């Protein structure tokens, strides 16, 4: 006899209790790991930053920045409308703590500022415009560089910070768009960039209980870390700091001495590692992965290189500064320090961000709005004078044509919320992109099979049998080398992939530091030459039209790779670098859009890339 629908329903209801506790039919139940990569920018300036305002970004506020990041059209400072081709998932406005919000308040004749003689004078200079307003900018800039806070007014600081935190709370939409609260600590002793972005996991009710810690308070990073500790103790909130890429620090960002010139201690290493889990490795002021003089055997090392001097042009670059400025070298130095101190002070994941001072967080090569609004899209911006001139008028810093349209932070978070993004950054499950939204997974373990990455549940296997990017492997089993599972997929709206590489750094038993770049997956059936180098992927860029074709390269590259040079007694790190095929660089787009040739000898094409956070290997203790 056939069961009636009613009897089946009754039977199902009666048997429900019998299924309690059984493994769910749904394969995602209980899998508490990230299923989505979220894209954003943790380093963007608006009119609340003194330099952005003085360089033309008047009227574009933090609210405008959040609207743009959400995908809305915004009127740029030059009157053109600007819009992202795809919204971001998160944004942190990080205006300078020093004189936060000062320029809009000066321009508005804020009563508190008008009580001060300096405030009245600067306001008048700004109103006069032209060279007089420019002189006001120089005065304010010198005030910050010399740590001479001429306008001290707690009411002004509190008002500006209240506006910043309120804007973030207004635009924060959990699950859809995350607006993080933050600011930039802008210390630059002698013009050397030691800036950090400070990121809060909290809302205005907690972050608003304090005022931003600025370089006026201290130029010592250790004092900043103490401030972060005090914040957490006072509010029960959470906070961290992100060092900028160090290419204009002239050897100070990853120095092996503290602010006073003393060798690093274990306490220093523990404190720095506690508060600074990731580093910014690519942005508009150049790429900070490595330098050709540090990595002479790396054919892709000379990428968007800024290396003529420090941030203000006061001091030219010397070769002996370079090891303490770039990410790859810093990661190697961290292994050395761990061997000596027992703790790695530079155990840093990687992210990218823009450092744009335009309120516009756009880094596509065909949608690049420059570092400052005066360097926005125009027919001749690539020929404009350098940002900074050195002593005696000698130019040794960066020209506009050397600015990089870069970068974004990619975060493997469990959900699009402040807490989940913060958690992911703390555990370093992040990667950097120079712009394209390449999807990158990277796992390390001891037992991945050769075909594991080809299984539809390879992500499950990655977490179950190993660690993701940002993780640690320890105590290698006898006779085993680490195996790494990598999957890279092109930006759906971008270029095909050229190759996937693993960059290894290690601390040898004799105390020396080494690095090696391995090609582990590549497109188009190319064969390595006798020196082990792959031939170039080719170049389909048509400079006359600023277009390219995906007739070369691959949409996806995936592999499981074993380190052939592994020594289980030596500390090491591994990270992934993914390269796209060549595509047009922003000056080429300028030429085509404005119909004028740009007078620069720089390449018109670029190989965009992504860098994963490392996976570290640490030997076990000797028995």
């Amino acid at each position: 006899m056939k069961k009636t629908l009613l009897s089946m329903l009754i039977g199902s209801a009666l048997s429900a209790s019998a299924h309690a506790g059984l493994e769910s039919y749904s394969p995602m139940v209980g899998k508490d790991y990230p299923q989505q990569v979220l894209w954003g920018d943790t380093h963007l300036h608006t009119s609340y930053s003194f330099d952005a305002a003085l360089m033309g970004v008047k009227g574009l506020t933090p609210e405008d920045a959040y609207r743009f990041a959400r995908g809305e059209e915004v009127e740029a400072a030059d009157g053109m409308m600007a819009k992202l081709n795809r919204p971001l998932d998160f944004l942190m406005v990080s205006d300078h703590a020093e004189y936060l919000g000062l320029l809009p308040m000066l321009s508005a004749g804020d009563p508190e500022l008008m009580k001060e003689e300096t405030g009245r004078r600067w306001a008048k200079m700004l109103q006069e415009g032209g060279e007089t307003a420019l002189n006001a900018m120089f005065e304010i800039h010198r005030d910050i560089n010399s740590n001479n806070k001429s306008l001290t007014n707690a009411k002004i600081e509190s008002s500006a910070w209240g506006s910043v935190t309120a804007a973030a709370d207004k635009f924060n939409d959990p699950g859809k768009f995350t607006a993080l609260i933050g600011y930039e600590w802008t210390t630059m002793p002698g013009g050397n960039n030691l800036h950090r972005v400070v990121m809060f996991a909290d809302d205005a009710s907690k972050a608003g209980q304090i005022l931003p810690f600025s370089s006026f308070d201290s130029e010592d990073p250790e004092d900043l870390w103490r401030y972060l500790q005090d914040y957490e103790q006072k509010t029960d909130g959470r906070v961290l700091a992100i060092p900028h890429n160090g290419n204009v620090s002239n050897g100070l960002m990853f120095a092996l001495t503290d602010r006073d010139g003393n060798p690093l201690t274990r306490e220093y290493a523990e404190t720095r590692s506690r508060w600074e889990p990731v580093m910014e490795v690519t942005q508009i002021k150049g790429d900070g992965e490595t330098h050709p003089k540090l990595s002479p055997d790396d054919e892709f090392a000379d990428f968007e290189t800024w290396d003529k001097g420090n941030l203000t042009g006061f001091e030219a670059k010397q070769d002996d500064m370079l090891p303490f400025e770039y990410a790859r070298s810093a990661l190697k130095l961290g292994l050395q320090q761990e061997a000596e101190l027992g703790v790695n002070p530079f155990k840093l994941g990687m992210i990218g961000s823009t450092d744009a001072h335009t309120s516009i967080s756009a880094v596509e090569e065909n949608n690049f709005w420059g570092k400052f609004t005066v360097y926005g899209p125009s027919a001749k911006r690539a020929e404009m004078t350098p940002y900074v001139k050195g002593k005696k008028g000698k130019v040794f810093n960066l020209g506009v044509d050397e600015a990089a349209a870069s970068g974004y932070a990619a975060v493997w978070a469990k959900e699009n919320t402040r807490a989940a993004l913060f958690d992911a950054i703390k555990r370093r499950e992040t990667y950097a992109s120079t712009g394209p939204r390449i999807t990158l997974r990277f796992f390390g373990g001891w037992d991945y099979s050769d075909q594991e990455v080809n299984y539809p549940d390879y992500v499950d296997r990655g977490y179950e049998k190993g660690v993701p990017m940002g993780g640690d492997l320890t105590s290698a089993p006898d006779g085993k080398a680490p195996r790494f599972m990598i999957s890279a997929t092109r930006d759906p709206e971008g270029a095909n992939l050229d190759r996937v590489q693993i960059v290894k750094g290690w601390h040898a038993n004799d105390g020396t530091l080494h690095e090696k770049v391995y090609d582990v997956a590549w497109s188009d059936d190319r064969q390595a030459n006798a020196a082990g180098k792959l031939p170039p992927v080719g170049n389909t860029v048509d400079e006359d039209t600023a277009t390219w074709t995906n007739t070369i390269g691959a949409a996806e590259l995936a592999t499981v790779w074993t380190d052939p040079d592994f020594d289980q007694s030596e500390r090491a790190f591994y990270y992934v670098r993914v390269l796209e095929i060549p595509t047009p660089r922003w000056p080429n787009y300028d030429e085509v859009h404005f119909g004028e040739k740009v007078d620069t000898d720089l390449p018109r094409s670029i190989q965009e890339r992504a860098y994963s956070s490392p996976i570290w290997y640490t030997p076990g203790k000797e028995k």
Side-chain angles (χ1 to χ4, degrees):
M1 179 188 297
K2 293 183 178 180
K3 293 185 178 180
T4 66
L5 176 60
L6 178 61
S7 66
M8 292 174 66
L9 291 172
I10 294 173
S12 176
L14 293 174
S15 64
S17 60
H19 289 83
L22 293 180
E23 182 178 354
S24 174
Y25 186 77
S26 175
M28 292 310 301
V29 170
K31 292 180 179 177
D32 189 29
Y33 55 73
Q35 300 295 320
Q36 60 184 334
V37 63
L38 299 174
W39 291 94
D41 185 1
T42 64
H43 189 181
L44 180 70
H45 296 269
T46 75
S47 60
Y48 278 44
S49 287
F50 72 95
D51 50 355
L54 286 166
M55 294 290 275
V57 74
K58 297 176 182 178
L60 289 168
T61 67
E63 291 201 3
D64 294 310
Y66 288 123
R67 290 197 299 109
F68 181 83
R70 291 194 317 188
E72 298 179 33
E73 287 190 3
V74 171
E75 184 177 344
D78 61 5
M80 286 192 285
M81 299 304 295
K83 185 178 181 179
L84 282 170
N85 70 330
R86 286 164 289 177
L88 295 177
D89 298 303
F90 65 91
L91 174 68
M92 185 173 78
V93 171
S94 57
D95 284 309
H96 297 294
E98 298 74 17
Y99 287 148
L100 178 69
L102 176 69
L103 267 294
M105 293 179 182
L106 280 175
S107 298
D110 183 271
E112 287 293 327
L113 286 173
M114 295 306 102
K115 294 177 182 178
E116 305 284 345
E117 188 279 330
T118 301
R120 294 191 296 273
R121 182 167 58 82
W122 283 350
K124 183 179 179 182
M125 294 171 73
L126 292 172
Q127 289 171 2
E128 290 183 16
E131 188 173 343
T132 303
L134 192 62
N135 287 333
M137 170 188 168
F138 292 143
E139 282 194 28
I140 295 170
H141 204 270
R142 284 196 297 269
D143 218 47
I144 293 173
N145 282 347
S146 62
N147 205 29
N148 179 30
K149 190 176 183 181
S150 299
L151 285 179
T152 55
N153 192 309
K155 288 185 179 179
I156 293 295
E157 293 178 46
S158 180
S159 175
W161 182 235
S163 296
V164 169
T165 59
D169 277 6
K170 176 181 177 179
F171 284 88
N172 191 53
D173 189 3
K176 296 180 180 178
F177 177 80
T178 296
L180 293 154
I181 294 175
Y183 69 89
E184 180 177 320
W185 178 68
T186 319
T187 187
M188 42 187 173
N192 300 318
N193 186 326
L194 289 178
H195 302 180
R196 267 83 166 170
V197 165
V198 174
M199 173 186 289
F200 298 87
D202 312 307
D203 62 15
S205 68
K206 289 186 177 181
Q209 295 180 36
I210 52 86
L211 290 178
F213 186 84
S214 78
S215 62
F216 292 135
D217 298 305
S218 175
E219 291 188 319
D220 190 338
E222 293 186 75
D223 289 333
L224 173 67
W225 302 332
R226 279 186 277 272
Y227 161 87
L228 304 182
Q229 178 67 52
D230 290 344
Y231 168 80
E232 290 198 345
Q233 291 178 344
K234 176 180 180 178
T235 68
D236 198 32
R238 295 192 295 164
V239 64
L240 56 81
I242 303 172
H244 296 193
N245 57 321
N247 61 329
V248 285
S249 72
N250 273 15
L252 293 187
M253 183 59 80
F254 305 112
L256 300 185
T257 57
D258 64 15
R259 168 93 171 135
D260 298 323
N262 301 312
L264 302 187
T265 64
R266 182 184 179 97
E267 181 182 9
Y268 177 101
E270 289 174 338
T271 305
R272 182 163 186 166
S273 182
R274 161 72 174 84
W275 297 111
E276 298 185 357
V278 299
M279 60 182 155
E280 185 182 275
V281 74
T282 188
Q283 58 139 280
I284 290 175
K285 295 198 305 296
D287 195 79
E289 184 219 358
T290 192
H291 188 280
K293 290 184 178 179
L294 298 175
S295 305
D297 296 328
D298 182 353
E299 60 194 301
F300 297 102
D302 191 8
F303 177 72
E304 299 287 11
T305 303
W306 279 52
D307 63 353
K308 293 184 177 69
N310 64 1
L311 184 61
T312 57
F314 293 163
E315 184 180 13
K317 188 73 65 187
Q318 305 296 327
D319 286 352
D320 60 1
M321 300 172 180
L322 298 174
F324 311 103
E325 297 192 339
Y326 286 84
R328 190 184 302 177
S329 178
L331 291 168
K332 290 193 295 183
L333 292 170
L335 299 179
Q336 179 190 69
Q337 290 293 293
E338 185 178 46
E340 296 175 4
L341 304 174
V343 178
N344 185 343
F346 308 135
K347 194 166 188 178
L348 296 157
M350 298 198 198
I351 64 166
S353 282
T354 66
D355 195 14
H357 284 57
T358 59
S359 295
I360 293 176
S361 190
V363 295
E364 299 95 346
E365 299 291 329
N366 66 347
N367 194 22
F368 180 46
W369 291 79
K371 171 74 172 178
F372 294 101
T373 58
V374 293
Y375 303 129
S378 74
K380 297 296 184 182
R381 64 170 165 174
E383 302 172 22
M384 294 176 72
T385 55
Y387 295 131
V388 185
K389 290 187 177 181
K391 294 179 180 179
K392 300 180 180 179
K394 180 183 178 183
V395 177
F396 58 75
N397 219 318
L398 281 301
V400 179
D401 60 352
E402 295 179 275
S406 188
Y408 281 144
V411 180
W412 284 105
K414 296 177 182 179
E415 58 184 2
N416 192 1
T417 63
R418 286 169 169 169
L421 284 163
F422 191 91
D423 288 343
I425 292 172
K426 285 288 288 185
R427 66 176 181 266
R428 306 177 180 91
E429 201 166 352
T430 63
Y431 59 99
S433 169
T434 60
R437 302 190 192 187
I438 297 166
T439 301
L440 174 60
R441 286 282 199 182
F442 178 41
F443 297 96
W446 306 107
D447 299 309
Y448 298 129
S449 69
D450 289 343
Q451 295 302 315
E452 204 120 28
V453 74
N454 296 318
Y455 296 149
D457 63 344
Y458 82 94
V459 173
D460 296 4
R461 296 164 182 261
Y463 283 104
E464 290 167 3
K465 300 171 68 173
V467 298
M469 61 181 77
D472 291 277
L473 297 173
T474 59
S475 305
D478 289 339
K480 286 193 173 183
R483 309 208 77 196
F484 297 96
M485 185 161 58
I486 310 111
S487 175
T489 307
R490 81 171 208 200
D491 184 330
E493 298 184 15
N496 276 345
L497 306 180
D498 167 10
R499 69 187 74 191
V500 172
Q501 300 175 310
I502 281 188
V503 179
K504 176 186 177 182
W506 70 97
H507 177 260
N509 290 322
D510 62 3
T512 56
L513 296 172
H514 305 271
E515 66 177 66
K516 188 172 182 179
V517 179
Y518 301 86
D519 291 313
V520 299
W522 55 89
S523 66
D524 302 330
D525 298 321
R526 289 168 285 164
Q527 299 297 317
N529 61 24
K533 298 288 187 181
L534 285 173
V537 69
N539 191 334
T540 67
V541 172
D542 180 347
E543 294 182 10
D544 291 334
T545 58
T547 58
W548 85 98
T549 63
N550 277 325
T551 53
I552 59 174
E556 182 178 13
L557 293 171
T559 191
V560 174
W561 178 81
T562 304
D563 180 2
D565 305 308
F566 181 66
D567 184 331
Q568 68 176 27
S569 67
E570 295 177 338
R571 290 177 171 81
F573 65 80
Y574 306 81
Y575 67 85
V576 171
R577 181 171 67 185
V578 182
L579 300 175
E580 281 190 345
I581 64 172
T583 51
R585 193 172 181 268
W586 65 264
N588 192 199
Y589 284 110
D590 283 2
E591 290 175 319
V592 173
H593 181 85
F594 294 104
E596 295 187 37
K597 200 68 176 175
V598 174
D599 185 16
T600 173
D601 59 358
L602 289 178
R604 298 303 199 274
S605 61
I606 184 174
Q607 281 196 262
E608 304 268 21
R609 53 201 64 191
Y611 312 114
S612 80
S613 288
I615 292 173
W616 286 266
Y617 168 72
T618 305
K621 295 181 180 180
E622 294 184 4
K623 295 181 180 179

